[in-house]
């Protein structure tokens, strides 16, 4: 089977559907039986990798510069002309493979996913999915344009983060209010985007003959191993175990600052006697020290990260016009990951880099699998790869190991902040996830942004009630505006909470035997999507569980480690 395609997606960025069509036509007509299935799947993988990387590179360009009209035009041209046609043609190939009854080696789990995708597919949904991506891109543009003037400079909201560590409470409050005012200026714009996204998602579910979007999302995200009710029970476990632990974190921080209560601008403030943690000066230093740290974790992983540096697969520094957040995406045809983030010189940036490096290592580890369907990893385990790397790298963050912190006190503070952040994350994750459960099972109410404000506020009080927001209730209740997953990746958030539990278990193993824990971690990553989610967790030395007992064991280990670091 001869398929003539470029070797690099850099040559296909301007391709329209007519250029892609012959590859799908060839696969649709080629013989498919036991003797040809391996070649057929390999050819499909070559085509899929190239079109996937084309999409990824076009998308990356719009996030690296949200003001670039050429990048936006090319991306939207792909979304409008190529994406729907490619998805429809890909669906024909999926149906053909399923109808053949063939099951190549290592393909049982991918076939389960293909059956779910085939059952969910509706051609009428293709333009809706394109519109959903366009609206998500518009959300990025709105957030990326949010800047303020402070200290005689125009700064992005992300660039204000170091000021929230300032010991001077008046500075913190002024900066926080400045950012708040700018964010609230986009309240109506984001409300309008939300209503459009909600309507589009409800129609996706209706077209697929499903009762609500939550049911649709469960099938689309291929959640075979847990249910919506399991998530609600996870929320209850967080309320019972993690919320009290988070309250203890806030109490320690208030005491350290000499405050009776914490306000929103106090959360990451440092005490006057603490020097600011500024572990690197710029993105290049962040990357260089990151490579040194990761080489200590495992030489192969360090080599992978070095490859990314040499091949310019990192965009780390924050700048005006850059989309918010951080991510790792895959350039599938090249077999390479790409890391995007908004570093401003803080300890949280170090953790973000290590987190995204974990995702990058997953890309390297699965590249040896022969077919692209086998490289599709459940998000719940993909986040174990990233979150576990934050913890596995922790012993090597000292400057003496090539890391970031020159003295023991700074190292201990960075570790404590990371571990406290895990405790604080679970309650926040519960707010984000529970909000989406409410929104998509109460769509008529969720169509009213003020009802969304009220729902978010109630969940915030349930899980995050310690902070004092007096006088800033509008900021608290519009927190759902500032979580991009709600707009761009619906129902993609509980995975972080589940994965964090898995990552803590991997870390617990590493505390007893770091080399073996890292070895099992790498072996689990290399499985890709060829085994089930519980089997992936088990391969990494963890248990796929999120009950109260499992959560309590993780919280206890974290708090004991914090006590040790505090001396």
């Amino acid at each position: 089977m001869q398929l003539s395609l470029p070797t690099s997606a850099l040559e296909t960025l301007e391709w329209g559907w007519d250029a892609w069509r012959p590859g799908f036509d060839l696969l649709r007509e080629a013989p498919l039986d036991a003797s040809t299935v391996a070649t057929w799947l390999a050819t499909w993988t070559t085509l899929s990798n190239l079109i996937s990387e084309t999409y990824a590179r076009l998308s990356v360009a719009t996030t690296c510069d949200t003001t670039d009209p050429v990048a936006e035009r090319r991306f939207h041209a792909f979304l409008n002309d190529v994406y729907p046609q490619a998805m429809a043609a890909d669906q024909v190939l999926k149906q053909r493979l399923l109808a053949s009854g063939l099951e190549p080696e290592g393909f049982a789990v991918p076939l389960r996913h293909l059956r779910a995708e085939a059952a969910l597919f509706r051609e009428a949904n293709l333009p809706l999915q394109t519109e959903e991506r366009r609206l998500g891109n518009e959300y990025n543009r709105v957030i990326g344009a949010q800047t303020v003037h402070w200290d005689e400079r125009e700064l992005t909201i992300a660039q204000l983060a170091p000021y929230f560590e300032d010991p001077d409470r008046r500075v913190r409050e002024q900066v926080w209010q400045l950012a708040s005012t700018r964010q609230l200026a986009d309240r109506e714009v984001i409300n309008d985007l939300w209503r459009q996204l909600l309507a589009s998602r409800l129609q996706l579910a209706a077209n697929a003959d499903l009762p609500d979007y939550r049911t649709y999302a469960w099938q689309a995200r291929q959640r075979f191993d847990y249910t919506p009710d399991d998530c609600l029970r996870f929320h209850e476990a967080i309320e019972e175990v993690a919320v009290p632990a988070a309250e203890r974190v806030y109490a320690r921080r208030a005491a350290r600052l000499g405050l009776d209560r914490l306000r929103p601008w106090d959360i990451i403030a440092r005490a006057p006697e603490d020097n600011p943690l500024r572990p690197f000066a710029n993105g290049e230093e962040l990357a260089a020290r990151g490579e040194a740290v990761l080489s200590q974790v495992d030489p192969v992983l360090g080599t992978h990260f070095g490859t990314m540096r040499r091949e310019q697969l990192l965009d780390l520094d924050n700048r005006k016009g850059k989309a918010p957040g951080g991510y790792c995406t895959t350039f599938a045809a090249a077999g390479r990951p790409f890391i995007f983030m908004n570093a401003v010189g803080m300890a949280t940036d170090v953790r973000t880099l290590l987190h995204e490096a974990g995702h990058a290592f997953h890309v390297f580890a699965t590249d040896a699998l022969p077919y692209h369907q086998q490289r599709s990893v459940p998000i719940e385990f993909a986040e174990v790869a990233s979150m576990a790397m934050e913890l596995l790298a922790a012993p090597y963050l000292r400057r003496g190991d090539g890391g970031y912190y020159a003295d023991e006190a700074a190292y201990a503070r960075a570790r404590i902040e990371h571990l406290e952040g895990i405790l604080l994350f679970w309650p926040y994750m519960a707010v984000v996830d529970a909000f989406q459960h409410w929104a998509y099972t109460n769509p008529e109410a969720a169509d009213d942004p003020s009802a969304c404000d009220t729902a978010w506020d109630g969940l915030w009080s349930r899980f995050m009630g310690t902070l004092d927001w007096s006088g800033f209730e509008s900021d608290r209740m519009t927190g759902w505006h500032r979580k991009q997953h709600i707009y761009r990746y619906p129902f993609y958030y509980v995975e972080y909470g589940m994965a964090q539990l898995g990552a803590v278990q991997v870390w617990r193993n590493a505390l007893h035997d770091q080399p073996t824990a890292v070895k099992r971690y790498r072996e689990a990553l290399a499985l890709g999507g060829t085994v089930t989610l519980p089997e992936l967790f088990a391969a990494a030395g963890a248990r796929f569980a999120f009950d109260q007992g499992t959560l309590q064991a993780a919280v206890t280990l974290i708090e004991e480690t914090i006590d040790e670091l505090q001396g």
Side-chain angles (χ1 to χ4, degrees):
M1 187 184 308
Q2 294 296 320
L3 181 60
S4 178
L5 288 171
T7 57
S8 170
L10 295 174
E11 300 177 46
T12 60
L13 299 179
E14 297 276 6
W15 274 22
W17 172 241
D18 287 343
W20 292 105
R21 186 201 311 268
F24 288 98
D25 289 345
L26 176 66
L27 286 160
R28 190 180 67 247
E29 301 297 334
L32 179 58
D33 54 37
S35 66
T36 63
V37 64
T39 300
W40 191 85
L41 284 171
T43 304
W44 188 7
T45 293
T46 299
L47 177 62
S48 178
N49 285 350
L50 192 62
I51 203 166
S52 172
E53 182 172 333
T54 301
Y55 171 86
R57 287 188 179 275
L58 291 171
S59 177
V60 164
T62 67
T63 60
C64 290
D65 185 355
T66 62
T67 69
D68 183 348
V70 174
E72 185 173 6
R73 175 190 62 76
R74 294 166 93 181
F75 185 53
H76 286 166
F78 182 92
L79 289 180
N80 292 324
D81 179 44
V82 176
Y83 181 80
Q85 307 267 22
M87 292 302 99
D90 205 56
Q91 181 63 21
V92 172
L93 302 184
K94 293 175 185 176
Q95 295 282 19
R96 191 172 183 218
L97 177 62
L98 292 173
S100 75
L102 298 167
E103 185 173 316
E105 184 180 355
F107 226 76
V109 171
L111 280 173
R112 181 179 70 167
H113 296 166
L114 288 174
R115 292 186 189 101
E117 291 169 2
L120 196 62
F121 179 82
R122 301 291 187 277
E123 191 162 354
N125 278 343
L126 294 175
L128 291 171
Q129 291 165 343
T130 296
E131 176 65 2
E132 186 177 25
R133 284 169 173 79
R134 185 193 69 78
L135 291 169
N137 206 47
E138 178 63 14
Y139 174 82
N140 262 357
R141 189 196 64 76
V142 170
I143 300 300
Q146 291 178 345
T147 63
V148 299
H149 285 87
W150 177 259
D151 199 19
E152 300 182 349
R153 291 187 296 161
E154 183 182 18
L155 300 173
T156 66
I157 301 300
Q159 287 171 332
L160 295 176
Y163 294 99
F164 297 129
E165 292 185 341
D166 197 304
D168 189 334
R169 201 181 195 196
R170 293 170 300 176
V171 170
R172 298 198 302 270
E173 181 177 357
Q174 289 171 11
V175 172
W176 188 90
Q177 291 195 36
L178 192 65
S180 166
T181 300
R182 177 61 188 89
Q183 289 169 324
L184 285 175
D186 288 327
R187 187 173 187 173
E188 294 307 317
V189 173
I190 295 176
N191 281 342
D192 185 56
L193 285 173
W194 163 252
R195 296 188 69 194
Q196 293 180 68
L197 283 163
L198 177 65
S200 181
R201 289 165 184 168
L202 295 178
Q203 192 60 52
L204 285 170
N207 289 349
D209 305 309
L210 294 172
D212 54 52
Y213 181 75
R214 182 173 71 173
T215 305
Y216 177 91
W218 233 257
Q219 292 190 30
R221 295 201 173 277
Q222 300 175 349
R223 292 176 171 174
F224 301 108
D225 299 296
Y226 62 98
T227 67
D229 284 342
D230 288 328
C231 291
L232 300 182
R233 284 189 285 272
F234 189 23
H235 301 165
E236 293 171 359
I238 289 169
E239 188 173 18
E240 291 297 317
V241 176
V243 168
E247 289 172 350
R248 291 190 286 273
V249 172
Y250 287 131
R252 287 194 299 271
R253 292 187 179 183
R256 193 162 63 242
L257 295 170
L259 301 174
D260 293 330
R261 56 184 183 174
L262 293 178
R263 302 282 271 163
W265 46 85
D266 297 324
I267 297 172
I268 64 170
R270 57 185 172 84
E273 63 272 18
D274 292 333
N275 292 321
L277 292 177
R278 295 292 180 264
F280 61 94
N282 51 48
E284 177 52 37
E285 184 182 358
L286 173 63
R289 295 193 179 281
E291 182 177 351
V293 168
L294 294 165
S295 296
Q296 295 274 3
V297 176
D298 183 89
V300 173
L301 300 181
T303 298
H304 287 331
F305 193 80
T307 297
M308 296 184 71
R309 290 184 65 205
R310 289 194 309 275
E311 296 182 8
Q312 298 183 324
L313 295 168
L314 306 168
D315 185 348
L316 305 183
D317 288 303
N318 176 257
R319 58 183 176 272
K320 181 182 177 182
K322 200 173 181 183
Y327 62 78
C328 176
T329 193
T330 304
F331 294 159
R336 293 287 190 265
F338 177 89
I339 292 177
F340 168 100
M341 55 183 287
N342 281 276
V344 291
M346 299 183 68
T348 52
D349 297 321
V350 173
R351 296 195 289 274
T352 298
L353 181 71
L354 297 172
H355 179 101
E356 302 303 342
H359 286 309
F361 299 147
H362 225 151
V363 175
F364 283 108
T366 57
D367 191 53
L369 293 169
Y371 309 127
H372 69 280
Q373 296 93 340
Q374 296 173 315
R375 301 171 194 163
S376 179
V377 180
I379 295 171
E380 298 84 352
F381 188 71
E383 296 300 341
V384 173
S386 57
M387 292 177 164
M389 185 48 56
E390 297 177 50
L391 292 162
L392 292 172
Y396 311 109
L397 296 179
R398 297 176 180 86
R399 189 66 61 91
D401 292 314
Y404 299 91
Y405 302 105
D407 62 81
E408 195 64 25
Y411 168 78
R413 274 180 57 205
R415 290 287 317 281
I416 289 168
E417 287 180 8
H418 178 203
L419 296 172
E420 288 183 340
I422 294 172
L423 297 176
L424 298 179
F425 171 73
W426 275 310
Y428 178 69
M429 182 282 299
V431 174
V432 175
D433 190 53
F435 174 80
Q436 295 186 89
H437 281 267
W438 170 83
Y440 293 115
T441 56
N442 297 276
E444 292 185 5
D447 189 52
D448 178 2
S450 66
C452 293
D453 291 346
T454 300
W456 178 272
D457 209 36
L459 291 165
W460 193 270
S461 296
R462 176 184 171 190
F463 293 102
M464 306 278 291
T466 300
L467 298 178
D468 179 7
W469 289 75
S470 301
F472 298 97
E473 287 77 8
S474 291
D475 301 271
R476 183 183 62 210
M477 66 176 51
T478 55
W480 61 286
H481 283 185
R482 295 181 285 282
K483 177 43 62 181
Q484 66 163 328
H485 295 72
I486 292 171
Y487 302 87
R488 304 194 68 215
Y489 314 110
F491 274 109
Y492 177 10
Y493 212 66
V494 72
E495 293 92 337
Y496 290 117
M498 296 173 175
Q500 189 68 78
L501 270 177
V504 171
Q505 293 177 69
V506 171
W507 171 51
R508 180 184 59 204
N509 296 339
L511 292 175
H512 299 291
D513 185 348
Q514 171 97 353
T516 300
V518 173
K519 179 176 180 290
R520 295 190 69 178
Y521 166 89
R522 289 187 55 203
E523 290 172 346
L525 265 57
L527 291 171
T530 61
V531 299
T532 66
L533 184 56
E535 288 171 327
L536 286 170
F537 269 67
R543 189 169 68 95
F544 182 62
F546 31 91
D547 56 277
Q548 188 168 327
T550 303
L551 182 59
Q552 184 63 70
V555 167
T556 298
L557 174 60
I558 291 168
E559 291 195 308
E560 288 175 350
T561 305
I562 290 172
D563 288 342
E564 292 172 5
L565 288 165
Q566 287 176 330

